[in-house]
Amino acid sequence: MSAGLDSPHLKVLLVEDNPDDAALLERHLRRNGFLPDMTRVETASAMQASLNTSLPDIVLGDYNLPNFSGPEALRLLKISGLDIPFIMLSGAVSEQTAVDSMRAGAQDYVSKQNLTRLVPAVERELKEASGRRNKLAAEVALRASEARFHHLVDAMPMGLLLNDGKGRISYANQAIARLLGRSVEDLTSGNVVVDSVCADILPAQMACTVDGISNAAPFESVCQTENGTTIDALIGVTLLNPEASSETWQFAAFVADLSLQKKSQEALRQTEKLAVAGRFAASIAHEINNPLEAITNCLYLVMQTDLPDDARGYVDLAQQELDRVSQITVQTLRFFRGSTRQGATDLRELIDTVVTLLESRLQRAQIEVVREFRTQASVVAQGGEIRQVVANLVGNAMDAMTKGGRLILRTADGVNRTTGERGVVLTVADGGSGMDQFTLDRIFEPFFSTKGITGTGLGLWISQEIVAKHSGTMRVRSKPGAGTVFRLFLPALGVVAGSESKPRTEIR
């Protein structure tokens, strides 16, 4: 037996009607080092049953049988789709018979009168069959690997385009299709070039070929979407086959969406500007206090003199307006100098501060503010941050109430039904335009805004984060044309969960 075979055990399916010939074949295989396990069949049904029961290593078939034949057995094996070697046997071998058998798919043709070729043929066909099986397994593994790779590339969040030297796109993953608002089929139709996606991609790819490098340094550019809008993107390009001729060059372009990063940078710049403006406003308010005090003293001295009634009335009016200016400066200082530590916070005072600062805007918008303070409880909070939340909610309400109306600010005792914790419920209810379900589902997402270029889309997201940091909750109800109601729950100072006092409002 050939040393190339791993085992002497050999399962043979023998198509033969003569038991003596079968015994002769088995003895010949044994003498040559095999341990054959012979299964002999004489009909097509018996052969099919044997194939269904146990697959052989090789099939040996007699060319002529009374009720069956070698060619019929070979045809049955081919129909089954099994890759099993088949060697035709015959008592008398003609050249035409051998040629016909080989054309039909037999691996070899051996004469029963001369079995010396049988063992070499069996060894050769077993080795080739093993090679075919290994090749098939490798091909299956390769296809599975390619499928996993394509799935990985298609699922990755970064966009990928493949194109030729003329810019024609041959591949696009789902990420780039979503980014551009186009279908993969459209991008890979053969009619789309990378220039229509981004004018800088193809020049960067060509630079790779000129400079003799495969990968170009990533660069920022803009991509054109299907509806004509532009998207900031970070792009990297590479030449996939630098050894090929220019006619067969294949390039890849990786596209990362920078929109969120750009918005974050812009939001950070706006926040820094607001912080500077806040410090500046607080500084001005502080500096104004000194001359205000001097003017107040002067008015007091004037009031001590003899004045006509009309003049005294003017002085009283000036004093009232001066008191109003003084109140605004005090509230401004309180707003921008909130404590950085959590402590007892009176929501009534906090609401009054916000309303005072926004009073002129409220009056111009013809918005009536209704304050309903139904609890004396304080909350545990960082006053400056909660003031920021209230100011944001009131500002949003003002933007929604384009025709004026009533804005209700209410505080009441409440309970968090999830935890049972007692606290204070702050309600901000407006009679503005309201929101549809699509907007409601997204209002707490960062950078989602209904105000166009005037809105950053960060207010409610930051507000929710602040409330969550204070162990509170924020809920919203709204209908188009019926206004919006925000309800905040904040834990009360010195109240523990399970207290016997019945809450007057519940978070639902």
Side-chain angles (χ1 to χ4, degrees):
M1 184 188 69
S2 170
L5 296 174
D6 295 333
S7 171
H9 295 281
L10 182 66
K11 295 178 64 176
V12 180
L13 176 58
L14 178 62
V15 182
E16 175 63 69
D17 64 334
N18 190 329
D20 293 336
D21 286 350
L24 179 65
L25 288 170
E26 182 176 359
R27 184 166 60 253
H28 181 76
L29 292 173
R30 288 185 182 277
R31 284 179 176 177
N32 285 275
F34 286 105
L35 296 177
D37 178 9
M38 307 282 286
T39 300
R40 187 172 65 87
V41 297
E42 300 182 25
T43 63
S45 58
M47 179 178 176
Q48 186 64 63
S50 178
L51 291 174
N52 293 339
T53 302
S54 176
L55 294 181
D57 297 318
I58 195 166
V59 178
L60 305 177
D62 193 352
Y63 192 83
N64 289 309
L65 296 176
N67 301 314
F68 199 29
S69 70
E72 291 178 3
L74 177 59
R75 188 160 46 251
L76 190 152
L77 181 63
K78 295 300 180 183
I79 292 173
S80 71
L82 299 172
D83 184 14
I84 300 174
F86 189 102
I87 297 178
M88 195 75 75
L89 302 174
S90 179
V93 181
S94 68
E95 183 177 340
Q96 186 61 43
T97 301
V99 170
D100 292 342
S101 299
M102 301 295 284
R103 285 178 176 174
Q107 272 68 37
D108 208 335
Y109 197 106
V110 176
S111 171
K112 290 183 179 180
Q113 309 302 327
N114 182 16
L115 294 179
T116 56
R117 290 187 59 252
L118 179 61
V119 171
V122 169
E123 291 179 342
R124 182 189 70 244
E125 294 309 323
L126 290 176
K127 184 176 181 180
E128 291 185 2
S130 176
R132 289 195 299 272
R133 284 192 295 270
N134 292 338
K135 181 181 178 181
L136 179 61
E139 291 174 349
V140 170
L142 178 60
R143 286 195 293 270
S145 177
E146 289 176 346
R148 287 194 298 270
F149 175 75
H150 282 296
H151 180 72
L152 175 65
V153 170
D154 222 30
M156 70 179 186
M158 179 179 292
L160 173 62
L161 292 171
L162 300 183
N163 63 276
D164 60 18
K166 296 181 179 179
R168 288 190 297 265
I169 297 174
S170 58
Y171 175 83
N173 68 350
Q174 290 291 342
I176 192 66
R178 287 193 300 269
L179 182 65
L180 301 177
R182 307 175 72 163
S183 66
V184 171
E185 293 75 14
D186 176 35
L187 289 171
T188 57
S189 63
N191 300 320
V192 182
V193 294
V194 290
D195 282 342
S196 64
V197 173
C198 174
D200 296 329
I201 291 180
L202 193 58
Q205 292 174 339
M206 291 298 104
C208 290
T209 65
V210 175
D211 297 338
I213 58 175
S214 298
N215 304 310
F219 58 93
E220 291 190 18
S221 185
V222 292
C223 293
Q224 195 82 13
T225 66
E226 176 71 5
N227 59 14
T229 60
T230 57
I231 297 175
D232 293 310
L234 179 66
I235 299 175
V237 298
T238 183
L239 175 59
L240 298 177
N241 53 343
E243 72 288 346
S245 63
S246 59
E247 292 78 11
T248 58
W249 277 339
Q250 288 292 316
F251 297 92
F254 300 91
V255 183
D257 186 3
L258 293 181
S259 301
L260 189 62
Q261 179 180 335
K262 294 292 185 180
K263 288 181 179 179
S264 299
Q265 292 173 350
E266 180 60 28
L268 180 60
R269 284 194 291 268
Q270 293 294 335
T271 301
E272 291 174 347
K273 290 179 181 178
L274 289 174
V276 171
R279 290 192 294 269
F280 183 61
S283 176
I284 291 176
H286 176 72
E287 295 299 327
I288 286 176
N289 272 335
N290 293 329
L292 278 180
E293 184 177 355
I295 296 172
T296 301
N297 293 335
C298 289
L299 287 177
Y300 174 78
L301 294 175
V302 170
M303 290 291 289
Q304 305 308 312
T305 62
D306 293 331
L307 294 173
D309 291 341
D310 56 346
R312 188 171 295 276
Y314 290 139
V315 174
D316 285 337
L317 181 60
Q319 183 63 55
Q320 292 173 11
E321 292 302 313
L322 194 62
D323 290 341
R324 183 166 172 268
V325 173
S326 178
Q327 183 183 20
I328 291 175
T329 59
V330 171
Q331 298 289 14
T332 301
L333 284 171
R334 287 182 179 178
F335 191 92
F336 291 107
R337 290 185 179 177
S339 173
T340 59
R341 295 182 180 180
Q342 289 193 5
T345 300
D346 188 345
L347 289 181
R348 295 171 301 173
E349 179 184 350
L350 188 147
I351 290 172
D352 287 341
T353 301
V354 173
V355 172
T356 299
L357 288 174
L358 299 176
E359 185 174 3
S360 59
R361 281 188 60 194
L362 290 165
Q363 290 177 351
R364 287 197 303 270
Q366 297 181 343
I367 297 175
E368 176 191 1
V369 179
V370 180
R371 281 170 273 200
E372 300 177 359
F373 299 138
R374 300 179 181 178
T375 180
Q376 304 294 322
S378 296
V379 297
V380 181
Q382 183 176 322
E385 291 189 345
I386 299 301
R387 189 180 292 111
Q388 179 182 349
V389 173
V390 176
N392 182 61
L393 294 179
V394 172
N396 287 345
M398 293 167 62
D399 292 336
M401 300 172 68
T402 56
K403 298 181 180 179
R406 297 175 74 235
L407 173 62
I408 299 175
L409 305 175
R410 180 187 304 123
T411 62
D413 293 326
V415 63
N416 187 326
R417 295 185 65 181
T418 303
T419 64
E421 187 175 20
R422 308 282 182 174
V424 176
V425 175
L426 168 60
T427 302
V428 179
D430 67 64
S433 56
M435 295 177 283
D436 58 23
Q437 190 59 47
F438 174 79
T439 303
L440 277 175
D441 292 339
R442 300 189 62 191
I443 57 172
F444 293 113
E445 294 180 9
F447 306 114
F448 176 77
S449 176
T450 60
K451 302 178 184 179
I453 61 174
T454 62
T456 63
L458 292 173
L460 287 176
W461 175 63
I462 293 175
S463 296
Q464 187 183 50
E465 293 294 317
I466 291 174
V467 173
K469 187 175 75 172
H470 286 78
S471 301
T473 59
M474 179 185 290
R475 301 286 186 268
V476 59
R477 290 185 293 108
S478 185
K479 286 185 178 181
T484 302
V485 178
F486 278 92
R487 305 179 73 188
L488 277 66
F489 171 85
L490 294 170
L493 179 65
V495 180
V496 294
S499 173
E500 295 182 358
S501 61
K502 184 177 180 180
R504 297 171 59 183
T505 307
E506 291 187 343
I507 297 292
R508 298 184 183 275

